[in-house]
Amino acid sequence: NQRFVNFANRFNYLEEYKNNKLKIRVIKTPDSLIGHAKRFKNCSASYVEKITNCKYIMCIVEDGNANVNQQEHPEYMLGLRYERNTLEFDAVKAYCNQIANDKFKRNIRQFMEEMDIPYKELHDIRYSSEKKDNKPGDNFMGFMESGFTDLL
């Protein structure tokens, strides 16, 4: 799909990121995305339409500091939303949607800061020492655990 390819190529500058810790590769074709989705065993192939419609971009991130002996992942898939001419962090996952360790999270945050990509402290990049203080009822599951039982 040429629209997919043209849109993905707009972000080739991400591949110029010079840091010996991470290497970024933009996924540039639908076939490549489908192949990576199979290899990563995730649902990223379902994003072909979003990328074709210029709403999303996906990259492979190679972690040059991964210690595979300690079961650290050497590659991740990075998803970035594209709205109003701005990239914004959406997700980063290893194989089978596994979450990264804190070392990788620190490096991917540094990448986003240096490339001016805004991000929120979502679970994918929140350090394990940073716990969100949710109170029961703050979200749907909290409601189910506390408030809903009062209705029975």
Side-chain angles (χ1 to χ4, degrees):
N1 185 317
Q2 196 58 44
R3 284 182 56 188
F4 183 112
V5 172
N6 291 343
F7 181 67
N9 282 329
R10 291 173 59 186
F11 301 97
N12 284 340
Y13 70 91
L14 296 173
E15 296 178 348
E16 297 170 11
Y17 180 67
K18 301 293 183 213
N19 182 311
N20 63 357
K21 298 172 189 156
L22 301 178
K23 181 178 180 184
I24 311 297
R25 291 183 291 125
V26 176
I27 298 174
K28 298 180 182 171
T29 67
D31 287 342
S32 180
L33 180 57
I34 291 166
H36 286 299
K38 288 178 183 175
R39 193 166 57 83
F40 274 77
K41 298 182 182 188
N42 65 25
C43 68
S44 61
S46 67
Y47 284 75
V48 167
E49 187 175 338
K50 279 187 174 187
I51 297 170
T52 301
N53 290 328
C54 305
K55 301 217 180 270
Y56 209 83
I57 194 76
M58 298 198 86
C59 303
I60 297 298
V61 181
E62 295 176 19
D63 185 357
N65 287 340
N67 184 341
V68 292
N69 293 332
Q70 293 181 354
Q71 299 181 342
E72 293 178 356
H73 300 286
E75 285 186 315
Y76 293 84
M77 193 172 279
L78 171 66
L80 302 167
R81 282 189 298 273
Y82 185 74
E83 294 178 11
R84 296 183 284 287
N85 295 319
T86 303
L87 287 174
E88 182 180 339
F89 173 78
D90 185 48
V92 65
K93 306 277 192 203
Y95 302 99
C96 298
N97 290 323
Q98 294 179 35
I99 302 297
N101 62 30
D102 282 357
K103 180 174 68 171
F104 179 82
K105 290 175 184 180
R106 193 170 15 267
N107 292 335
I108 200 71
R109 283 182 178 194
Q110 180 182 354
F111 159 74
M112 289 188 291
E113 289 165 4
E114 290 180 19
M115 299 303 282
D116 293 322
I117 299 171
Y119 63 90
K120 295 178 182 151
E121 304 267 334
L122 302 174
H123 180 66
D124 287 6
I125 57 172
R126 187 179 311 125
Y127 300 132
S128 58
S129 60
E130 297 173 341
K131 295 195 178 181
K132 191 173 179 186
D133 294 327
N134 281 342
K135 298 177 206 104
D138 281 354
N139 58 33
F140 180 73
M141 289 309 295
F143 171 76
M144 293 299 291
E145 292 168 358
S146 64
F148 186 71
T149 56
D150 294 340
L151 299 174
L152 297 177

